[in-house]
């Protein structure tokens, strides 16, 4: 039974309206959960970004404070003055101590700074006051100093757990330690240490934790906990922390992790001017705990809109079905060979677009058929011209053959030699239309050419051929050697004062290739011409004809590894090397 497209569309629309009453409730719940997750992610990211920026500002202030102390003139003088003189000058020591103490007091007015400590060499006047000044050599063995020594950085942040014995009324501290390497280059001989109350950092970390069940904390590159705020159970979960810190070391700033049976969203930011990483961990159970109350209202909305949409769809589908029938009718006309048919387009919807595409396709098909017809005629014309071009060389060869017999009959040896050489030259050049010929034939082609030139120039050209017998059985592109020999004669030998010379053709196999060398003792060429001879299109006193064409023919036929190369110098002749693949001639 054939069902009309209008019935199919109406049935499909009915299914699409009422099935979503069940499906869309689930999809809506998923969508709301996704939106809540996105909102939670954005909120958490913004809170983490703001907290991280605020923390970077505070850390930057402390770094600036260490710069102020480090480059203070008094401290520089203490470290650069001769100890033998300075340790006896108690008045200057007292002045320097007061100056440094005043500087420390000014910096300690910052609410974030708890205390400044300076560890320097043993100076009798003030190095043992145990308030702000300490002896540097007494640091060995202290946990926080071991961290500084292990660090390759000049400035190092020390975690609170390194100061268990130094807490102030039970308040943990975070310290910034800076090496002093003024006196001896690259050797630490002092330390500046600025202590900051850990609650200052903890207040910033607490601002980053925007969830009730989540966790925010800061950890350094060694895995030491700097500060934390939020769910203590999550903080104590070593598996969760390891997964979160591994994700933070990755390339992304947010990741999904799993610890135990629960899934978590982690956000991380590196803290500038430190080796700290700011991490927030949010349980997915908290993210997905909202958005369930709207399902009932969605069902009511879908029922009302579904019924209204169904009646409107009936009218629209009926109109669309008529347009599709008209399109199908015109397609059948085209399949029957009528390329003049066109569809009147009255809308910009999908059916209208299909109709426009149909009109364009029919027009293009008609044009392609016409073009194919014209191309066919041109091909036949070219085939005829090609046949004519084949006929003319044959005619010339046959005519030369008759002239040769006439010369033989009349006993004219010079004309006989000329006609035989010319006949051989054109017979090999024709080669029955083949582009690939035996090497032996190519050598015969060159010999015939040189014989003709000697008849013209009174035997001024000497040709020496030394080609291995193995090479003669290989194949090559025809008319490769002759243009090179022609250039050697016209632009080399005939430009010498004697207007005579020798051309030597050698050929030998070298593994998978064989190489011809065509050497003449002619006029030669300058180095700049040799460097450009295979790249230039023009013909001048050095280039002659066909050299670039031969090089390109070889590379097109065999690849870029093959072709011509030139060696020449003015007054010393020219040597051309032709590299070709060693391909045995197939039997015909």
């Amino acid at each position: 039974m054939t069902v009309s497209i209008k019935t199919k569309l109406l049935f499909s629309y009915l299914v699409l309206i009422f099935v979503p009453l069940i499906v869309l409730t689930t999809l809506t719940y998923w969508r709301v959960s996704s939106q809540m997750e996105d909102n939670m992610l954005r909120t958490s990211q913004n809170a983490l970004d703001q907290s991280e920026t605020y923390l970077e500002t505070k850390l930057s202030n402390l770094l600036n404070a260490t710069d102020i102390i480090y480059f203070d003139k008094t401290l520089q003088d203490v470290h650069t003055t001769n100890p033998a003189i300075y340790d006896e000058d108690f008045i200057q020591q007292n002045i320097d101590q007061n100056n440094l103490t005043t500087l420390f007091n000014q910096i300690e007015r910052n609410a974030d700074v708890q205390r400044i400590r300076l560890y320097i060499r043993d100076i009798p006047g003030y190095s043992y006051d145990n308030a702000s000044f300490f002896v540097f050599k007494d640091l060995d063995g202290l946990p926080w100093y071991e961290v500084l020594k292990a660090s390759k950085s000049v400035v190092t942040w020390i975690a609170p757990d390194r100061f268990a014995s130094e807490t102030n009324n039970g308040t943990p501290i975070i310290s910034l330690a800076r090496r002093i390497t003024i006196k001896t280059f690259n050797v630490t001989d002092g330390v500046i240490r600025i202590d900051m109350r850990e609650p200052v950092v903890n207040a910033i970390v607490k601002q980053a934790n925007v969830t009730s069940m989540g966790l925010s904390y800061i950890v350094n590159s060694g895995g030491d906990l700097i500060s934390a705020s939020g769910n203590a159970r999550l903080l104590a979960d070593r598996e969760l922390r390891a997964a979160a810190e591994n994700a933070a070391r990755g390339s992304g700033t947010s990741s999904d992790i799993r610890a135990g049976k629960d899934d978590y969203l982690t956000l991380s930011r590196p803290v500038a001017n430190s080796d700290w990483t700011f991490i927030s961990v949010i349980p997915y159970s908290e993210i997905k705990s909202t958005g369930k109350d709207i399902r009932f209202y969605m069902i009511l909305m879908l029922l009302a809109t579904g019924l209204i949409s169904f009646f409107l769809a009936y009218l629209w589908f009926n109109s669309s079905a008529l347009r599709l029938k008209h399109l199908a009718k015109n397609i059948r006309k085209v399949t029957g060979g009528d390329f003049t048919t066109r569809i009147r387009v009255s809308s910009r919807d999908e059916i209208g677009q299909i109709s426009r595409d149909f009109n364009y396709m029919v027009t293009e098909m008609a044009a392609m058929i016409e073009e194919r017809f014209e191309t066919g005629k041109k091909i036949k014309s070219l085939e005829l011209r090609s046949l004519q071009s084949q006929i003319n060389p044959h005619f010339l060869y046959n005519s030369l053959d008759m002239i040769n017999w006439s010369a033989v009959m009349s006993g004219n040896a010079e004309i006989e030699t000329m006609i035989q050489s010319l006949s051989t030259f054109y017979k090999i050049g024709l080669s029955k239309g083949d582009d690939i010929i035996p090497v032996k034939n190519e050598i015969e082609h060159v010999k015939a050419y040189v014989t003709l030139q000697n008849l013209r120039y009174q035997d001024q050209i000497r040709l020496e051929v030394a080609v291995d017998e193995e090479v003669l059985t290989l194949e090559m592109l025809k008319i490769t050697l002759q243009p090179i020999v022609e250039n050697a004669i016209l632009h080399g030998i005939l430009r010498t004062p004697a207007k005579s010379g020798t051309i030597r053709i050698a050929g030998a196999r070298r593994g998978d290739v064989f190489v011809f060398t065509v050497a003449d003792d002619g006029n030669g060429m300058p180095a700049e011409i040799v460097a450009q001879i295979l790249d230039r299109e023009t013909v001048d006193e050095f280039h002659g004809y066909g050299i670039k064409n031969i090089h390109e023919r070889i590379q097109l036929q065999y690849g870029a590894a093959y072709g011509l190369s030139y060696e020449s110098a003015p007054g010393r002749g020219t040597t051309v090397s032709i590299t070709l693949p060693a391909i045995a001639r197939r039997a015909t």
Side-chain angles (χ1 to χ4, degrees), residues 189-203:
D189 60 357
V191 174
I192 301 169
R193 176 179 143 189
I194 300 181
D195 296 338
M196 178 173 59
R197 297 176 182 86
E198 189 274 339
V200 174
V201 177
N202 185 258

Side-chain angles (χ1 to χ4, degrees), residues 11-25 302:
F11 179 76
S12 299
Y13 189 76
L14 182 64
V15 172
L16 290 174
I17 287 298
F18 290 97
V19 169
L21 293 176
I22 299 172
V23 177
L24 286 181
T25 300
L302 290 172

Side-chain angles (χ1 to χ4, degrees), residues 333-396:
K333 287 183 179 180
V334 173
T335 58
D338 182 6
F339 293 100
T340 62
T341 183
R342 298 291 186 273
I343 299 175
R344 182 175 176 272
V345 181
S346 58
S347 67
R348 295 181 177 272
D349 59 8
E350 287 80 358
I351 298 177
Q353 182 62 46
I354 293 173
S355 299
R356 282 190 290 273
D357 292 343
F358 171 82
N359 291 339
Y360 176 77
M361 179 189 68
V362 173
T363 302
E364 289 295 307
M365 287 177 64
M368 288 174 62
I369 291 172
E370 180 66 23
E371 181 181 358
R372 187 173 181 180
F373 176 74
E374 294 296 329
T375 302
K377 292 198 299 183
K378 290 180 181 179
I379 290 173
K380 292 297 182 182
S381 176
L382 291 174
E383 288 176 350
L384 179 59
R385 292 180 184 177
S386 177
L387 179 60
Q388 290 172 346
S389 68
Q390 294 287 337
I391 292 171
N392 291 335
H394 277 294
F395 178 75
L396 176 61

Side-chain angles (χ1 to χ4, degrees), residues 533-551:
I533 193 166
L534 297 179
D535 299 325
R536 297 175 59 178
E537 298 286 352
T538 57
V539 175
D540 56 30
E541 61 175 328
F542 299 107
H543 286 70
Y545 298 89
I547 298 303
K548 186 174 186 294
N549 180 46
I550 295 170
H551 184 64

Side-chain angles (χ1 to χ4, degrees), residues 160-269:
D161 60 354
R162 305 293 179 176
F163 303 102
S165 61
E166 298 184 28
T167 56
N168 183 21
N169 297 324
T171 302
I173 59 173
I174 300 170
S175 286
L176 174 62
R178 176 168 187 158
R179 306 172 189 266
I180 299 176
T181 56
I182 299 175
K183 186 174 182 181
T184 306
F185 179 73
N186 209 26
V187 176
T188 302
D189 60 357
V191 174
I192 301 169
R193 176 179 143 189
I194 300 181
D195 296 338
M196 178 173 59
R197 297 176 182 86
E198 189 274 339
V200 174
V201 177
N202 185 258
I204 300 174
V205 175
K206 186 177 293 185
Q207 292 176 0
N209 186 21
V210 295
T211 62
S212 59
M213 300 171 59
L215 167 68
S216 291
Y217 68 99
I218 299 175
V219 65
N220 66 14
S221 59
D224 298 327
L225 183 67
I226 304 300
S227 183
S229 176
N231 194 324
R233 181 183 63 82
L234 299 184
L235 183 63
D237 189 336
R238 294 185 177 181
E239 179 185 358
L240 172 63
R241 281 190 53 188
E245 290 162 22
N246 285 334
R249 283 189 287 268
S251 58
T253 57
S254 64
S255 302
D256 294 332
I257 62 171
R258 185 174 183 83
K261 298 180 179 180
D262 298 321
D263 295 320
Y264 300 88
L265 172 67
T266 65
L267 306 174
S268 62
R269 300 288 187 277

Side-chain angles (χ1 to χ4, degrees), residues 443 446 450 463-464 467 476 480-489 493 502-507 515-521 564-567 573-578:
I443 298 297
V446 171
V450 173
L463 178 65
E464 297 177 0
V467 179
M476 63 184 293
T480 297
L481 297 177
Q482 182 270 327
I484 297 172
V485 171
E486 179 180 357
N487 283 327
I489 295 172
I493 292 174
T502 302
I503 298 175
R504 298 178 181 86
I505 300 177
V515 179
F516 277 117
T517 57
V518 181
D520 66 71
D521 53 4
L564 308 183
S565 63
Y566 269 76
E567 294 181 10
T574 300
T575 299
V576 185
S577 297
I578 306 106

